[in-house]
Amino acid sequence: MAELNTGDGGGGKGKKVRSKKQNSKVDLTAMVDLAFLLITFFMLTTSLSKPQSMDLGMPDLNDKEPPILIADARTMTVLIGADNKLKVYMGQFASPIEVPKDVIYGKGGIRKDILEKVQSVPVTMGDPKKGLIVLIKANKKSKYKNLVDILDEMAICKVPTYAIVDMTKEEDALFEK
């Protein structure tokens, strides 16, 4: 049982005789019980933050369907290299519409390029349903964080179609320079 003693106010050695005061006792048991009930209540009713994940559809490796032909003007390729390096080009690597250029991560770099292409590709194709397609290719020396950053950029820019594809030897050679 928890209690609070305030001490006695009784007389000591002195000339006047005073009456002895009673000790005041406050029972704190109910307050301690209430505190534990509140702690238990908030522990049980509070939800912890849940991890968020992004849905990513991966192709079946055993599927042997013929490749789908896509217009070069719709295809943007993002190359992720080691040391946070990033290159972007439009079209095919052998005959690009825009030559591979170095880009930085973030709002003024890759996001700006992606947003421009998201808006310009449907106009170029003459059909609003034919949007931008982004191919993401990561070097074996690239960091996982960089791939996640690019996937975040796809979500931020609302790119309708994107895929993670293996990098070719020729594209990998761009980062060795």
Side-chain angles (χ1 to χ4, degrees), residues 86 101 103-115:
L86 193 63
K101 64 178 179 176
V103 182
I104 59 171
Y105 288 92
K107 191 174 185 178
I110 186 71
R111 187 178 307 166
K112 180 181 169 190
D113 288 348
I114 294 171
L115 286 173

Side-chain angles (χ1 to χ4, degrees), residues 35-48:
F36 280 113
L37 283 172
L38 286 171
I39 289 171
T40 306
F41 172 77
F42 286 115
M43 282 176 50
L44 294 176
T45 58
T46 303
S47 63
L48 300 174

Side-chain angles (χ1 to χ4, degrees), residues 2 14 19 25 39 44 60-61 73 80 84 96 120 135 137 156 158 167 169 172-174:
S19 62
K25 293 183 180 181
I39 289 171
L44 294 176
D60 185 14
L61 295 176
I80 305 170
N84 299 327
S120 67
L135 300 176
K137 299 181 179 186
I156 291 168
K158 297 178 181 155
M167 188 179 287
K169 292 178 185 177
D172 199 17
L174 286 174

Side-chain angles (χ1 to χ4, degrees), residues 14-148:
K15 296 181 180 178
K16 294 185 180 178
V17 177
R18 294 186 182 174
S19 62
K20 190 172 183 181
K21 294 184 181 177
Q22 293 288 333
N23 286 342
S24 59
K25 293 183 180 181
V26 178
D27 188 13
L28 299 175
T29 305
M31 190 182 301
V32 172
D33 287 346
L34 181 64
F36 280 113
L37 283 172
L38 286 171
I39 289 171
T40 306
F41 172 77
F42 286 115
M43 282 176 50
L44 294 176
T45 58
T46 303
S47 63
L48 300 174
S49 62
K50 297 177 183 176
Q52 297 177 350
S53 62
M54 178 185 289
D55 292 330
L56 182 63
M58 297 297 286
D60 185 14
L61 295 176
N62 297 327
D63 194 12
K64 299 295 180 188
E65 291 184 20
I68 300 170
L69 300 176
I70 301 168
D72 290 346
R74 291 181 64 190
T75 308
M76 174 187 237
T77 304
V78 177
L79 303 173
I80 305 170
D83 300 326
N84 299 327
K85 292 183 181 176
L86 193 63
K87 293 186 184 283
V88 176
Y89 66 90
M90 288 293 292
Q92 295 182 14
F93 185 74
S95 57
I97 296 172
E98 294 177 10
V99 294
K101 64 178 179 176
D102 291 327
V103 182
I104 59 171
Y105 288 92
K107 191 174 185 178
I110 186 71
R111 187 178 307 166
K112 180 181 169 190
D113 288 348
I114 294 171
L115 286 173
E116 285 175 5
K117 296 301 178 187
V118 165
Q119 293 174 355
S120 67
V121 166
V123 174
T124 304
M125 296 304 295
D127 187 0
K129 293 182 182 178
K130 292 186 177 182
L132 178 67
I133 298 172
V134 179
L135 300 176
I136 303 167
K137 299 181 179 186
N139 187 319
K140 291 186 179 184
K141 296 177 184 176
S142 65
K143 295 181 182 177
Y144 182 72
K145 176 192 175 300
N146 295 339
L147 179 64
V148 172

